[in-house]
Amino acid sequence: MINIIPIKDLSLIRETITHPSVWPYVHDDDSQDIESYDPISPVDGIIEYLGVFIEEEFHGLFCLVKCNCITFEIHTALLKKCRGPIAVLAAKAVVKWIFDNTMCKRLITQIPEKNLLAERLAVKAGMTQYGLNPSSFKIDGVILSVKLYGISEVNHASSSSGRNGGDISL
C-alpha cells in the first residue's frame, strides 16, 4: 500500500533531494551546489513535503507549493526504488491526497523539455499539457523550454471523501 504522509524532517528532505538518483533532475544552474544545498523549510499551507511510503519504507517525496488559494505546483523527488509502475501509483496517490486534503482545485507542474520520464509520469498521473514556456530553464549551461502540465480537481476522479488519508494499494 502506498501512503502519502506530510513530512517536516529537513534532513530526510535534504537527503532525498540531493540523492544521486534525484539531484540531476531537480536542480538548475541557479541552485546551490549539492554539498551546501538546504531545502526550504515547510510552511503550513504554503510549502509542504509529502512523503511516499510503501508499507513503512520511505520511497521519496513530492514538494507542494501554493501559488494562490486554489492553484498549487508540484515537484517530484522519487528515489530510484520508486520508479516505473510504482512511481505512477505514487503520483496518482499524491494527486488524490492533494485534492482530498487541501484547497487545491488546480495542480500544475513545469517540466524541462528534455525530461521525458517526468513528462510520462505527469501524463500517467492524469495531467495534460496546457502550454510551453520557451527558453525558460537553464541546466548545465543549456537553455531549455519548459512544458506546462496540469490537472483540475473537476477532471480528477477522486473516490475518497475523506480529508486525512492518502493510500493506494499496490
Side-chain angles (χ1 to χ4, degrees):
M1 178 168 323
I2 294 178
N3 291 299
I4 304 300
I5 301 170
I7 56 176
K8 296 185 185 285
D9 180 346
L10 287 178
S11 62
L12 178 61
I13 294 164
R14 182 190 188 290
E15 181 181 316
T16 304
I17 292 172
T18 60
H19 191 277
S21 69
V22 174
W23 183 255
Y25 302 100
V26 299
H27 81 284
D28 66 9
D29 282 2
D30 194 39
S31 298
Q32 303 164 342
D33 60 59
I34 196 168
E35 291 80 23
S36 61
Y37 173 77
D38 284 318
I40 298 170
S41 293
V43 178
D44 288 337
I46 306 295
I47 297 172
E48 293 190 65
Y49 296 94
L50 304 173
V52 176
F53 294 85
I54 298 177
E55 303 307 325
E56 301 295 320
E57 186 179 0
F58 179 74
H59 278 67
L61 61 85
F62 293 92
C63 177
L64 187 63
V65 180
K66 185 176 183 179
C67 300
N68 61 47
C69 64
I70 63 168
T71 304
F72 292 65
E73 184 172 347
I74 192 163
H75 302 271
T76 306
L78 298 175
L79 298 171
K80 198 169 196 167
K81 61 185 170 184
C82 190
R83 303 277 166 90
I86 296 172
V88 174
L89 290 173
K92 288 179 178 181
V94 80
V95 169
K96 179 180 179 344
W97 189 96
I98 290 165
F99 287 136
D100 286 351
N101 293 280
T102 72
M103 299 301 294
C104 182
K105 301 294 181 202
R106 178 78 174 158
L107 183 62
I108 62 172
T109 195
Q110 301 183 55
I111 303 171
E113 63 184 332
K114 302 235 181 211
N115 194 339
L116 299 177
L117 289 177
E119 195 171 349
R120 284 189 208 125
L121 182 60
V123 169
K124 289 184 178 188
M127 292 184 154
T128 56
Q129 185 176 352
Y130 67 90
L132 181 73
N133 191 356
S135 303
S136 57
F137 187 81
K138 187 176 179 186
I139 185 166
D140 300 328
V142 178
I143 297 176
L144 301 171
S145 296
V146 172
K147 296 179 180 182
L148 308 173
Y149 279 82
I151 185 171
S152 295
E153 183 180 39
V154 294
N155 297 8
H156 179 259
S158 178
S159 62
S160 171
S161 61
R163 307 251 339 145
N164 294 316
D167 59 284
I168 291 187
S169 295
L170 291 172

